[in-house]
Amino acid sequence: MRECIVLRPVLKETVWGGDRLATQFDCGRKQCAAGAEKIDFTSIGESWIVSAHPHGDCIIEEGTYAGETLSGLYKKHPELFGNLPYEEFPLLLKIIDAKSNLSIQVHPDDAYAREKEGCPFGKTECWYVMDCPEDAQLIIGHHAKTREELTRMVRENRYEELICRVPVKKGDFIQIEPGTIHAITGGMLLMETQQNSDITYRVYDYGRLVDGKPRQLHVEQSLEVIKVPDNAGRDGLIHTENGESAARINERKLLVDCTYYKVWKLTTGGTFTMEQSDPFLIATVLEGSGSIDGREMTCGDSLLFPTGYGDICFSGDMTLLLCTAN
Ligand code: ZN
């Protein structure tokens, strides 16, 4: 039986971030207490909980591989990750605390990222809503029917007409394909599973100033990659908390199975044992607390189980997201 891998999250300060990652999550609190990073703990937008990206490569906290980076471990020991065909570790998992709106943005696909950015991966991503205000809406997709209409509306700054707003509540899940225009809105706490990529094209930033200057926009790249038409926002939402698609206790429910990853929701009660039969499996606690194989777990904690780990034993009342690479 192999050991599980414990990673230290990388906290990211952003103009739109809040203080929840530093105050409501044990892993964030620990890092603040240690004074680990020179960071403003009142505006942390993202915690990269599993990342091998050069902009924030997680360090392994304990065990045989303590002190190594995830990117290094993936290269040295591909057998721990099922000998995947990717040169780099393929996924990036984040918890996002949006105190205010994120820019309206879009990501490229693999082909565009390779050709235009010299990066191995584009960005397909998915969101699980951990918490949100009562009347929350996400921005996903748009109303333009043709490319000409899209271009005109973008160039004329007619964003309110262009974008599609989708009402969401806690427990909702949605897949965001490359080319889908989107934005996370203020008050949202989300878990994001995505390809290992940090390429974002900002289409619109509400005229916001940072240090007296507007942030850079990428309108030309955006117009090249935005899909037309795009009804993703109207068609793609899954409600996992109630209704037909709600997850049952101690039964993992598949939320998405795409080219790059699978994501499941698991709500545990009492004791539940599951065999780890994927290339690797990442389990992240979103709510509640308990233990996994005797290790205390609480909200925001994540463990990576390598190939051939064997059985994983969950104990306690927890809501988790599980994911693996395809
Ligand atoms: Zn995005």
Side-chain angles (χ1 to χ4, degrees), residues 115-187:
E115 195 194 318
K116 300 286 172 70
E117 303 283 352
C119 293
F121 302 116
K123 205 202 272 197
T124 300
E125 66 190 35
C126 60
W127 299 338
Y128 178 92
V129 179
M130 295 170 69
D131 190 28
C132 66
E134 189 106 332
D135 51 354
Q137 295 179 324
L138 288 166
I139 295 170
I140 303 162
H142 62 77
H143 297 294
K145 285 171 203 68
T146 62
R147 195 153 285 282
E148 293 66 39
E149 197 182 357
L150 171 81
T151 307
R152 198 166 55 238
M153 285 167 115
V154 169
R155 297 228 188 272
E156 293 172 1
N157 269 318
R158 289 155 57 197
Y159 286 96
E160 278 311 316
E161 271 173 81
L162 174 68
I163 56 172
C164 183
R165 289 184 184 269
V166 185
V168 291
K169 50 188 190 301
K170 187 181 159 214
D172 284 353
F173 178 87
I174 192 159
Q175 170 87 338
I176 311 280
E177 300 289 346
T180 287
I181 195 166
H182 60 277
I184 297 171
T185 50

Side-chain angles (χ1 to χ4, degrees), residues 131-243:
D131 190 28
C132 66
E134 189 106 332
D135 51 354
Q137 295 179 324
L138 288 166
I139 295 170
I140 303 162
H142 62 77
H143 297 294
K145 285 171 203 68
T146 62
R147 195 153 285 282
E148 293 66 39
E149 197 182 357
L150 171 81
T151 307
R152 198 166 55 238
M153 285 167 115
V154 169
R155 297 228 188 272
E156 293 172 1
N157 269 318
R158 289 155 57 197
Y159 286 96
E160 278 311 316
E161 271 173 81
L162 174 68
I163 56 172
C164 183
R165 289 184 184 269
V166 185
V168 291
K169 50 188 190 301
K170 187 181 159 214
D172 284 353
F173 178 87
I174 192 159
Q175 170 87 338
I176 311 280
E177 300 289 346
T180 287
I181 195 166
H182 60 277
I184 297 171
T185 50
M188 289 276 169
L189 188 67
L190 293 182
M191 164 128 186
E192 181 174 271
T193 305
Q194 55 160 93
Q195 288 181 272
N196 180 5
S197 166
D198 201 19
I199 310 171
T200 293
Y201 298 138
R202 231 175 259 140
V203 195
Y204 183 63
D205 201 27
Y206 317 96
R208 194 157 43 183
L209 300 180
V210 177
D211 298 328
K213 278 181 270 174
R215 292 196 292 173
Q216 194 192 351
L217 298 179
H218 315 89
V219 174
E220 301 315 314
Q221 292 100 316
S222 300
L223 288 173
E224 279 182 8
V225 305
I226 294 172
K227 281 192 291 195
V228 186
D230 189 354
N231 299 325
R234 277 156 283 176
D235 305 336
L237 204 64
I238 299 174
H239 306 297
T240 73
E241 291 281 89
N242 40 45

Side-chain angles (χ1 to χ4, degrees), residues 51-82:
S51 165
H53 195 280
H55 295 169
D57 202 351
C58 292
I59 305 277
I60 291 139
E61 294 233 70
E62 54 185 82
T64 312
Y65 309 109
E68 297 203 39
T69 58
L70 180 58
S71 68
L73 185 68
Y74 179 80
K75 288 206 169 129
K76 248 195 248 174
H77 293 287
E79 75 284 0
L80 296 175
F81 305 90

